[in-house]
């Protein structure tokens, strides 16, 4: 049994708890929270709930701690700190800051003799793996990543900050013509606008100036200005009934040529279609917690990513069983 | 530079030579053949061609030897034998015999202190990886593998053995309705007949009894009896002009549920579309030869498969570069 801890009990932490139920080789021992532990009602029988500051007390009780905080402010501090006492897995997803985060976590985990796996989930995560495999088996080609159709929390939040907006949900949608062009193997150059559109569902205050709100959204730099954006004004009831889920997914497509004269086209595609973004991310985190438990037992220390983990380490099945049934 | 040898110069061996041209960190040193070396005209300048029996002479000149023989009779003998002197990679693809082949190769490679990677390519190979990742990140779901549209050499050969047949090409074709059902996440039970159809293009002798030939093909046990098979009689000219390629590909689809109450559906799909089956297989072999060179340098010995290799080991890029650009 792998003894697991969860730090942070939001969407992701609850998702990890649910994912443990699908993985009978795990036992959830403790949930650490910044809230009042008495306010947390875990789904798992017998699991302890404690304050984050008491984490050290569980040092010898858990094999891996999954960190379910946010990438903006939580994980840059928490992951190196927890790596002093625990093997940890996090889902740090600010791509540009991954090298710095890796270095900080690596230093902490090497000093403590623990193992830390960062930036786990689906992007970064399973999509990163697809990009590296594609780049390696088809050198000299091109890799394309498309996201969606799915909810972008960051873009939804950005809309909510527009004056007069009560609530909003934003979907990132890959452009079918771009997907088709990439799949044809023609290695097209695609602008930001050509790859994705943005669909917004917006609830506004009574009497709000919809034309002004629509214009502000569509012209918002970084978030919407570079995209073809559609804004749909709907009621709070419609938002709650039709847009309450957090589905996501996407595509990593690698095209490249083989043959002595580049005479053969090849297209490799990896795609995800997820009803719940955090539930799937959590499921990936648990599989990598298994890998971290195995690698730590073998003496591996410091920081690693999904790119450093052999596929077999994610599985509860033995090497012999995998070779017999899945190779 | 990774110094490479090729044993066997058929479709696969020539494919490996072409793949080396796309991977500038490799140097092809020698091609070993059972034919008269003088009859071989390699594309690579300066590469030696020698008889298979002289292999030992190159023991210290190459880092990895890629074995391009067949799975039926060549590799069961060659892979353990070569593993006594070389780090090797093979594409052994008789799924049922993989465990026995693994054990024989593991014993030989452990004794010699060399590293052997077996069953590399796309199935077994990249598809096996997709199956293990899918099974691990979505436990409790179902995995489906579809092949095609592509040429099955074994089935084409089987048709050629029918009396009156001059030449033949057989395509394995996934059934669209089955693909759609699997992608919907409904975890359907699918019979052999429901998953694939078989399309045959057949050239017959003048005056041959086409009705008898068609019946014999369609009723052939193991090969065609369990499938909906179509037989098209065409001229040798048409076969040569329209069906001379060896394209292939396929799909590995994993569907599974997440959430505490299995309330979310998820579908993960990995697919390949290949103009040339052996050219892509060769490209994968070279990427794994890179991994074998790295792992051998680290002291790893014995037999491994693609399931034991971290994605980063396939890449010519450094860990830091991959984290920065692909994670």
């Amino acid at each position: 049994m792998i003894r697991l801890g969860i730090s942070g009990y939001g969407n992701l932490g609850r998702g990890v708890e649910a994912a443990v139920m699908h993985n009978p080789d795990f036992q959830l021992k403790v949930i650490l929270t910044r809230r009042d532990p008495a306010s947390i009602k875990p789904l798992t029988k017998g699991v302890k709930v404690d304050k984050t500051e008491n984490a050290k007390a569980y040092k010898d009780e858990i094999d891996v701690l999954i960190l379910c905080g946010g990438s903006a402010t939580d994980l840059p501090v928490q992951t190196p700190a927890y790596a002093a006492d625990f093997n940890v897995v996090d889902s740090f997803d600010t791509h540009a800051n991954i090298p710095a985060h890796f270095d900080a976590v690596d230093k902490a985990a090497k000093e403590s003799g623990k193992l830390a796996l960062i930036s786990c989930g689906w992007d970064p995560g399973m999509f990163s793996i697809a990009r590296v495999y594609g780049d390696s088996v088809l050198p000299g080609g091109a890799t394309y990543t498309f996201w969606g159709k799915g909810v972008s929390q960051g873009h939804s939040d950005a809309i909510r900050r527009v004056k007069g907006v009560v609530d909003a949900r934003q979907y990132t949608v890959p452009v079918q013509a771009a997907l088709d062009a990439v799949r044809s193997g023609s290695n097209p150059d695609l602008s930001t606008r050509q790859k994705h559109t943005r669909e917004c569902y917006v609830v506004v205050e009574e009497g709000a100036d919809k034309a002004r709100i629509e214009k502000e959204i569509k012209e918002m730099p970084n978030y919407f200005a570079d995209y073809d954006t559609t804004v749909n004004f709907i009621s709070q009831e419609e938002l709650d009934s039709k847009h309450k889920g957090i589905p996501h997914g996407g595509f990593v497509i690698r095209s490249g040529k083989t043959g002595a004269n580049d005479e053969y086209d090849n297209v490799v595609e990896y795609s995800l279609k997820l009803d719940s973004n955090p539930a799937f991310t959590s499921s990936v985190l648990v599989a990598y917690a298994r890998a971290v438990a195995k690698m730590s037992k073998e003496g591996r220390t410091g920081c690693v990513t999904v790119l450093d983990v052999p596929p077999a380490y994610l599985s509860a099945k033995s090497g012999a069983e995998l070779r017999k049934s899945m190779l």
Side-chain angles (χ1 to χ4, degrees), chain A residues 287-324:
Chain A
Y288 276 95
R290 180 184 290 121
V292 164
K294 291 182 192 177
M295 293 167 81
S296 170
K297 227 175 221 175
E298 292 175 0
R300 184 84 174 241
T301 65
C303 189
V304 295
T305 76
V306 297
L307 304 177
D308 303 307
V309 178
Y313 278 58
L314 273 68
S315 179
K317 300 180 173 75
S318 72
E321 206 176 337
L322 291 176
R323 287 191 293 275
K324 191 170 191 279

Side-chain angles (χ1 to χ4, degrees), chain A residues 94-299:
Chain A
T94 312
H95 288 260
N97 298 343
I98 286 174
H101 187 56
F102 182 93
D103 290 342
V105 175
D106 192 49
K107 186 169 179 287
K110 284 227 173 88
E111 279 171 15
S112 66
K114 296 291 179 183
L115 181 64
L117 187 140
I118 62 160
S119 300
C120 186
W122 62 274
D123 196 357
M126 304 312 293
F127 272 18
S128 320
I129 290 169
R131 287 188 284 262
V132 170
Y133 277 128
D135 184 72
S136 303
V137 302
L138 287 174
T143 302
Y144 300 82
T145 303
F146 291 88
W147 298 275
K149 181 179 176 174
V151 171
S152 165
Q153 205 56 51
H155 287 77
S156 302
D157 290 345
I159 299 172
R160 281 190 210 102
R161 289 192 293 265
V162 172
K163 194 172 170 322
V165 171
V166 175
D167 204 351
R169 187 59 47 115
Q170 193 269 180
Y171 296 93
T172 305
V173 186
V175 174
Q176 189 60 45
L179 275 170
D180 292 345
V182 168
R183 285 180 182 140
S184 77
S186 68
N187 287 11
D189 280 321
L190 295 169
S191 67
T192 297
R193 189 177 300 273
Q194 287 172 311
K195 285 182 74 186
H196 298 93
T197 58
R198 299 201 176 274
E199 284 177 14
C200 312
Y201 294 86
V202 184
V203 181
V204 295
E205 290 167 2
E206 225 184 287
D209 179 352
K210 290 182 180 173
R212 191 258 312 154
I213 289 172
E214 179 165 344
K215 188 168 183 291
E216 270 191 46
I217 293 171
K218 288 185 170 177
E219 293 179 355
M220 201 184 294
N222 302 319
Y223 285 91
F224 295 101
D226 299 333
Y227 298 85
D228 289 336
T229 301
T230 53
V231 176
N232 305 283
F233 293 101
I234 61 173
S235 66
Q236 184 73 55
E237 292 68 41
E238 189 177 345
L239 191 87
D240 291 343
S241 67
K242 293 191 188 160
H243 303 283
K244 69 174 179 176
I246 27 182
H248 220 313
F251 308 82
V252 174
I253 306 176
R254 175 74 179 182
S255 61
K257 293 178 183 296
T258 51
N261 303 302
D262 282 351
E263 62 269 44
Y264 305 121
D265 284 321
N266 306 271
V267 179
V268 181
E269 179 168 339
Y270 181 79
S271 70
L272 295 173
K273 204 173 68 185
L274 315 170
D275 271 359
S276 164
N277 183 351
F280 182 75
T281 299
S282 303
S283 197
V284 176
L285 289 171
V286 171
Y288 276 95
R290 180 184 290 121
V292 164
K294 291 182 192 177
M295 293 167 81
S296 170
K297 227 175 221 175
E298 292 175 0

